[in-house]
Amino acid sequence: MLAAGTNENLAHTSNVLIYSAMAVYMLAFFAHIFEWIFGSRSKVARTAAALTPGGSRAEAQGNAKDAGTVTIKVATKGGGTTVLERPKIITRSASGSRDVPDGPGADGGDVQGDMWGRIALSLTVLAFIIAAGGVLTRALSVQRAPWGNMYEFSITFSTVAVGVYLGLLASRKLNIRWLGLPLVTTVLLTLGLAVTVLYTASDQLVPALHSYWLWIHVSTAIFCGAVFYVGAVSTLLYLFRDRYETKLIAGEKISAFATSVLERLPAAATLDKLAYRVNAAVFPLWTFTIIAGAIWAGSAWGHYWEWDPKETWSFITWVAYACYLHARATAGWKGRKAATLALIAFACFLFNYYGVNIFVTGKHSYAGV
Amino acid sequence: MGNTDTHAGRSRADGADRGADDAGPPEADGAPGALTRDEADAREIGAAGSQLSTAPREEPLLSGPTLGPIGWFRWFWRQLTSMRIALLLLLLLSLAAIPGSLIPQSSADQNKVDTFITEHTTLGPLYDKLQLFHVYSSVWFSAIYILLFISLIGCIIPRTWQFVGQLRGRPPGAPSRLTRLPAYTTWRTEAAPEAVREAALTMLRRRRFRAHVVGDAVAAEKGYLREAGNLVFHVALIVMLLAFASGSLFKSEGGKLIMEGDSDGFSNTLSQYDDFTSGPLFDTSNLAPFSFSLDDFVGTYERSGPEVGTARTFQADIHYSAGPRDGEHKGVIKENHPLKIEGSNVYLISHGYAPSVTVRDGAGKVVFHGATPMLPFDKNLSSSGAIKVMDGYRDKSGKKDQLGFAALFVPTFGGKGQMLSQFPAADFPVLNIGAYHGDLGVDSGVPQNVYQLNTKVLTPFKDAKGQILKQSLLPGETMKLPGGSGSITFDKGPIKEWASFQITHQPGELWALGGAIAAILGLAGSLFIQRRRVWVKAVAGPDGTTVLEMAGLGRSESAKLPEELGDLAVTLLPEAPPAPEPDADDAGEKPAAAPAEHAEGAEK
Ligand code: HEM
């Protein structure tokens, strides 16, 4: 009885932490909004300059021309002594892409915008730590991994998604601060849905769910989902940005709002490449997730694969991502068509998580709703 | 030349570059005129960029042959094995899998299918005709994946030969203008061209490039594992498919319900199964001769909290023997922990109670004594069943008759007269019995459900009010049948439990697992490894120094290529130290010098 009391306290603590995290995410959301608003004041408009006929076309040509020529930087220090330096590597833009510079980011190079962006990022880190605490206490209160029902799955999933974003930022390999606003928005939506509709009091798992394969299977599924999410957002923005660049080249009119938002994003080619790298990097893990699931099903139910709705949708998601990867290697399919496939694939992933749990009954009926 | 499209793409960027030179109209980027530039550029890189992958060449769909049937066949085959059709088939496969997740499937739940058909009088038969109740074994679903796998085989074989050819051959020589490549660097050095090439060759080989000297340049290539991984992945898909196919052809699977302490238990012969299915090629005489019996079933349930009644553990303690010459072993089967005996897996599937009763005839003679398994119908194990007294019973006039009892069992009685259990453990067991007599129909040869009574053909015993005789009994209590027809007693003592097991034998499991592992490894190789080429060109310049050029070519997504080229250049620098900066502009020299700051701006 004592233990049960402790557990209920922990579960309560977890709820308080999740609500607190939501409050901080909300603040981060507003800070991001300010970032975008202040950023809209800046008049950098590099993309337009690079692409519109006339205008400051010279700048773009300057860029491209340099890319075609050659240099080696050898610094000379008094008396003509040559000092070795890392040679400059001249790169050219990737295949099929326009030579367009990346946008300056949400803050548009504006000092105040940048400040709000930093505030938003700090708040996101804080909210992430609080939410991670919420997930951890939840796990401790139920004494198992925190994904036994849809409520737990949601809080863990959103926390991992933010973790992936912060991890990518920290690695400094990719500049993805522009992802902040869409990410925080969706995390708030997910958490809101979790605490209102999906909430389930702490409970234990039915015996079929006691398995370390489940632990592996679900944790990798959550991680894959979080990474696929990042891929999907950049794919979506790629589609917008690509249309924007096309219109710019064609000299069509674009609304001031769209210009203000889209010109601050990275170039379409950059977004596309990011989406590919993210999706491709996690595809083998998704394959593994499905196989781990099959192994678990084999030991729990005696069948590795029974076309249970959850299995079926995992398979559909997998094939859809394989389609996307193939499309990128197929002439006539790369670019927008492939991007659409990637979005469909992510929609399949989402349906597998929400749709199948709510609308379809199958053996994976641990939804708790 | 699987990647001509790559060149085309790259040269579009070129359009902008040249645009600066000839100050042409900016629209030239997308204009048809750019095509010739694309072609020129493609020719520029030429063989150097060819065969960076073994992907099949794309051909326009419309170029139908004018040849006879053989021509048509070849055309059809080429289409089938093209990337475009593979993509289409993959898309179709994912679409085709959807209905099976939304429409009830007979493989999962035949009852649901039947209900669906009776509820939807128009859709039901239509769905049935379209094989939508067994999507994954339907003709159209099979057609898609069989075509896909034919396409896959037709794709892999030539790709494998091509890849072997590439492994045997050597990296192609440098294109005439290295500046055209996606990553490029150059400097002048005082080392002799031969020495530079020699140093570059050693350095590249040490870095595990396949490298050789062609003309005045070293040509090197690395990352063949990407292609190998890709081929392994696709082959592994075929292995997995074959493993599943042979698994379902040769598998056997059956269910068996066993009561605690049942001395007979189960031995693995066809007649012992309650139900049995097997693949078309399974030979029933091949059933492994093992046997097992259930000693004890233990189920524990949550006693408090919001999820009261949720099962915590299920465990079946058994005795088994692998064959007639094998001794007895103790074993435990839990959910998630099947027992492997002689290549078969024994799974614990479900469990329930088997209350024991004693039936006496009018003279007080025991005509039936034993436990009868009841099937649970809710999560608190409210169960129903039928107790059948087939022979030995004689009614009060001494005539032979059969008795049937429709039974409802609750392990924890709620006390409100309703036969619905409050908790899954046997805390307060109650057995409710309705009594019938007549022909049970066991001898008629028609298969009948052992858990149900066909009350339509039976005559109910009536109570004083003329209702069907029905009574709820506590352990030890007895219900008397009217007019001295006998009695039935719910025996005292712990309630026996039963467990049902599924016994599966599925060959090909290991092949499937091996295929799966190979697929993941191959995929990782295919997606994480970059295949790239590097050329190091060294020629004597007009001023007596050596002009060294390095360039790299990868597939479009090679973000790390410039970085790697930089590393290679740094490694090469000590062997080819830069010559001091010459006096200002030697404009005629190629490559021309440009201000370093600008170049920096162009870097991505
Ligand atoms: C059975 C279903 C198939 C699946 C699940 C599948 C999956 C994949 C995946 C995940 C990749 C990696 C993509 C990348 O490297 O970016 C790939 C590459 C490839 N696949 Fe498939 N594939 C299938 C069938 C086929 C078929 C039928 C063909 C033949 C036409 C084919 C030809 C290729 C080729 C040529 C590549 C390499 C593309 C490149 O060089 O980037 N695949 N496939």
Side-chain angles (χ1 to χ4, degrees):
Chain A
M1 254 14 259
L2 188 75
T6 333
N7 289 353
E8 270 171 32
N9 280 343
L10 275 172
H12 181 68
T13 311
S14 165
N15 293 351
V16 172
L17 285 173
I18 294 295
Y19 275 102
S20 316
M22 284 175 68
V24 182
Y25 277 129
M26 191 60 100
L27 295 177
F29 173 78
F30 285 121
H32 271 305
I33 294 284
F34 285 135
E35 178 190 21
W36 280 90
I37 290 177
F38 281 109
S40 70
R41 299 192 307 193
S42 90
K43 296 274 173 268
V44 183
R46 288 210 285 162
T47 320
L51 282 174
T52 33
S56 46
R57 164 105 183 143
E59 192 196 336
Q61 287 173 350
N63 265 335
K65 189 175 159 80
D66 288 345
T69 51
V70 163
T71 190
I72 174 169
K73 189 175 176 186
V74 180
T76 41
K77 223 191 242 172
T81 324
T82 327
V83 173
L84 299 188
E85 260 197 27
R86 196 182 166 84
K88 289 282 172 229
I89 306 299
I90 312 294
T91 56
R92 311 169 125 234
S93 56
S95 70
S97 58
R98 309 177 190 93
D99 213 1
V100 177
D102 287 342
D107 57 40
D110 182 85
V111 178
Q112 251 174 309
D114 180 54
M115 183 192 72
W116 280 110
R118 284 167 194 275
I119 291 176
L121 184 57
S122 317
L123 287 171
T124 308
V125 172
L126 179 64
F128 169 72
I129 293 170
I130 298 174
V135 172
L136 192 73
T137 42
R138 176 76 183 198
L140 288 175
S141 86
V142 289
Q143 294 171 352
R144 56 167 168 75
W147 43 69
N149 51 52
M150 275 181 78
Y151 168 73
E152 292 171 4
F153 195 93
S154 296
I155 61 171
T156 309
F157 177 71
S158 54
T159 307
V160 171
V162 177
V164 167
Y165 163 70
L166 293 176
L168 286 177
L169 269 184
S171 76
R172 289 173 186 281
K173 286 225 174 98
L174 304 165
N175 177 18
I176 54 161
R177 220 173 88 182
W178 47 267
L179 195 65
L181 183 61
L183 178 78
V184 169
T185 313
T186 31
V187 163
L188 271 173
L189 285 176
T190 311
L191 286 180
L193 206 63
V195 296
T196 51
V197 183
L198 304 175
Y199 186 77
T200 319
S202 313
D203 54 14
Q204 294 293 313
L205 297 175
V206 293
L209 299 180
H210 291 161
S211 162
Y212 59 91
W213 277 112
L214 172 75
W215 208 95
I216 297 169
H217 168 65
V218 187
S219 62
T220 53
I222 289 177
F223 181 76
C224 289
V227 178
F228 280 143
Y229 167 78
V230 173
V233 174
S234 55
T235 308
L236 190 66
L237 294 180
Y238 156 76
L239 285 174
F240 285 125
R241 170 85 190 197
D242 182 61
R243 165 99 356 117
Y244 163 74
E245 289 177 9
T246 316
K247 279 189 173 177
L248 263 185
I249 290 173
E252 280 174 47
K253 209 172 142 45
I254 305 163
S255 77
F257 177 73
T259 305
S260 168
V261 170
L262 293 174
E263 76 176 2
R264 280 182 270 165
L265 292 178
T270 311
L271 288 170
D272 189 37
K273 196 190 288 185
L274 172 71
Y276 170 76
R277 284 174 67 183
V278 165
N279 285 333
V282 82
F283 186 76
L285 192 65
W286 179 241
T287 311
F288 170 77
T289 300
I290 294 177
I291 290 167
I295 293 176
W296 166 48
S299 62
W301 303 325
H303 296 103
Y304 292 94
W305 197 269
E306 275 193 301
W307 296 105
D308 166 85
K310 204 101 198 171
E311 291 169 351
T312 305
W313 279 94
S314 303
F315 173 77
I316 293 171
T317 310
W318 184 74
V319 175
Y321 273 107
C323 276
Y324 164 69
L325 293 177
H326 264 215
R328 293 192 52 110
T330 310
W333 274 84
K334 51 186 68 176
R336 299 188 66 91
K337 277 192 209 169
T340 312
L341 283 178
L343 288 184
I344 292 174
F346 186 67
C348 291
F349 184 90
L350 279 189
F351 183 78
N352 197 11
Y353 163 37
Y354 283 109
V356 172
N357 281 10
I358 295 171
F359 305 122
V360 188
T361 50
K363 276 192 172 174
H364 284 72
S365 54
Y366 58 90
V369 287
Chain B
M1 309 213 189
N3 48 356
T4 38
D5 41 70
T6 311
H7 310 318
R10 188 168 37 252
S11 50
R12 202 158 318 142
D14 246 16
D17 174 10
R18 303 255 193 106
D21 296 336
D22 22 281
E27 304 85 58
D29 253 17
L35 219 97
T36 47
R37 279 206 277 265
D38 284 0
E39 283 164 3
D41 212 51
R43 213 170 308 127
E44 190 87 58
I45 296 172
S50 76
Q51 298 196 322
L52 248 179
S53 98
T54 57
R57 198 168 61 197
E58 292 303 320
E59 278 160 74
L61 251 178
L62 294 173
S63 66
T66 47
L67 303 160
I70 296 178
W72 272 105
F73 178 77
R74 281 173 62 183
W75 176 83
F76 178 75
W77 179 250
R78 216 171 289 151
Q79 292 305 334
L80 184 63
T81 56
S82 77
M83 284 294 273
R84 207 185 296 106
I85 297 298
L87 180 59
L88 226 63
L89 286 171
L90 273 172
L91 264 177
L92 271 179
L93 185 69
S94 57
L95 283 180
I98 293 177
S101 72
L102 306 175
I103 297 170
Q105 296 294 294
S106 51
S107 58
D109 195 340
Q110 182 62 45
N111 288 339
K112 265 195 195 161
V113 176
D114 295 341
T115 330
F116 187 93
I117 292 179
T118 46
E119 278 174 9
H120 303 78
T121 42
T122 39
L123 274 185
L126 184 69
Y127 280 8
D128 198 28
K129 239 190 206 121
L130 293 175
Q131 305 181 322
L132 284 170
F133 296 118
H134 57 104
V135 166
Y136 307 107
S137 55
S138 69
V139 172
W140 45 275
F141 190 80
S142 316
I144 294 173
Y145 75 75
I146 289 172
L147 269 182
L148 181 61
F149 275 87
I150 293 175
S151 164
L152 185 52
I153 292 167
C155 178
I156 287 180
I157 294 172
R159 284 184 62 199
T160 307
W161 287 129
Q162 206 183 332
F163 183 56
V164 168
Q166 290 176 17
L167 283 182
R168 287 234 194 98
R170 306 174 115 189
S176 54
R177 287 216 281 163
L178 286 181
T179 49
R180 284 274 164 263
L181 296 179
Y184 175 81
T185 189
T186 182
W187 68 90
R188 292 172 316 108
T189 175
E190 272 156 1
E194 297 76 37
V196 171
R197 285 197 287 269
E198 198 49 47
L201 193 65
T202 321
M203 183 262 300
L204 284 165
R205 284 196 176 144
R206 202 175 304 132
R207 295 235 176 170
R208 300 207 277 133
F209 275 81
R210 287 185 54 195
H212 67 135
V213 178
V214 195
D216 51 12
V218 178
E221 182 164 359
K222 191 176 171 178
Y224 291 87
L225 265 181
R226 177 201 174 89
E227 212 68 24
N230 193 277
L231 290 171
V232 165
F233 168 71
H234 285 92
V235 171
L237 289 179
I238 298 176
V239 170
M240 281 163 76
L241 184 81
L242 290 180
F244 292 140
S246 73
S248 57
L249 286 178
F250 289 99
K251 80 166 180 201
S252 70
E253 182 178 296
K256 175 70 181 176
L257 184 150
I258 305 177
M259 277 187 283
E260 278 174 349
D262 223 350
S263 51
D264 302 344
F266 167 81
S267 56
N268 193 23
T269 53
L270 200 51
S271 59
Q272 288 257 326
Y273 281 96
D274 296 336
D275 56 85
F276 184 84
T277 55
S278 62
L281 297 185
F282 178 78
D283 180 0
T284 42
S285 61
N286 279 349
L287 286 167
F290 63 83
S291 60
F292 66 92
S293 58
L294 178 65
D295 301 331
D296 192 14
F297 178 85
V298 187
T300 59
Y301 309 93
E302 186 64 47
R303 288 253 165 217
S304 63
E307 289 281 302
V308 64
T310 302
R312 290 288 158 262
T313 51
F314 293 140
Q315 176 173 330
D317 297 327
I318 64 157
H319 261 93
Y320 71 95
S321 148
R325 263 176 280 151
D326 190 38
E328 292 264 297
H329 313 277
K330 261 188 192 315
V332 171
I333 305 179
K334 298 186 204 181
E335 291 234 355
N336 285 327
H337 296 283
L339 186 72
K340 229 186 175 63
I341 315 177
E342 294 290 291
S344 292
N345 282 329
V346 181
Y347 298 89
L348 175 61
I349 295 299
S350 59
H351 69 108
Y353 291 99
S356 167
V357 296
T358 307
V359 179
R360 294 183 169 83
D361 64 9
K365 191 182 111 197
V366 174
V367 291
F368 178 86
H369 171 70
T372 311
M374 303 277 152
L375 288 188
F377 55 80
D378 68 15
K379 79 181 188 94
N380 282 331
L381 299 186
S382 309
S383 319
S384 66
I387 301 165
K388 297 177 182 179
V389 181
M390 321 274 197
D391 41 30
Y393 175 76
R394 279 166 197 279
D395 66 11
K396 52 190 181 247
S397 54
K399 238 180 72 199
K400 259 194 170 176
D401 200 359
Q402 291 182 323
L403 292 178
F405 300 94
L408 283 175
F409 175 78
V410 290
T412 301
F413 185 57
K416 290 182 212 81
Q418 262 207 356
M419 286 305 285
L420 281 180
S421 173
Q422 306 299 306
F423 193 75
D427 292 349
F428 184 10
V430 169
L431 185 66
N432 178 285
I433 285 172
Y436 298 82
H437 67 100
D439 183 6
L440 290 173
V442 210
D443 313 319
S444 66
V446 180
Q448 54 150 8
N449 192 327
V450 281
Y451 303 102
Q452 272 175 355
L453 279 186
N454 185 357
T455 49
K456 279 191 202 119
V457 300
L458 294 174
T459 319
F461 286 103
K462 296 280 170 62
D463 65 8
K465 287 185 218 125
Q467 306 275 345
I468 296 175
L469 180 69
K470 205 174 239 180
Q471 202 173 320
S472 292
L473 305 176
L474 291 171
E477 290 187 340
T478 300
M479 177 170 86
K480 282 220 166 350
L481 301 179
S485 301
S487 67
I488 175 166
T489 307
F490 179 15
D491 296 332
K492 258 193 153 80
I495 313 284
K496 261 194 184 182
E497 289 182 78
W498 57 261
S500 78
F501 297 91
Q502 178 179 297
I503 297 106
T504 347
H505 176 69
Q506 187 156 9
E509 248 173 38
L510 280 178
W511 279 99
L513 185 66
I517 293 170
I520 294 176
L521 293 179
L523 202 51
S526 164
L527 291 170
F528 296 148
I529 294 173
Q530 288 297 333
R531 186 154 169 208
R532 65 271 190 197
R533 291 185 181 147
V534 167
W535 291 276
V536 182
K537 203 176 198 171
V539 286
D543 61 349
T545 59
T546 301
V547 177
L548 191 159
E549 290 181 275
M550 288 178 80
L553 175 64
R555 292 158 46 93
S556 49
E557 273 83 20
S558 51
K560 290 210 192 88
L561 185 66
E563 218 174 287
E564 184 178 29
L565 194 72
D567 287 343
L568 291 177
V570 168
T571 320
L572 199 56
L573 272 179
E575 317 266 357
E581 208 61 44
D583 287 344
D585 30 43
D586 9 15
E589 194 193 336
K590 173 189 156 223
E597 301 79 48
H598 277 237
E600 213 161 342
E603 247 175 284
K604 286 234 178 98

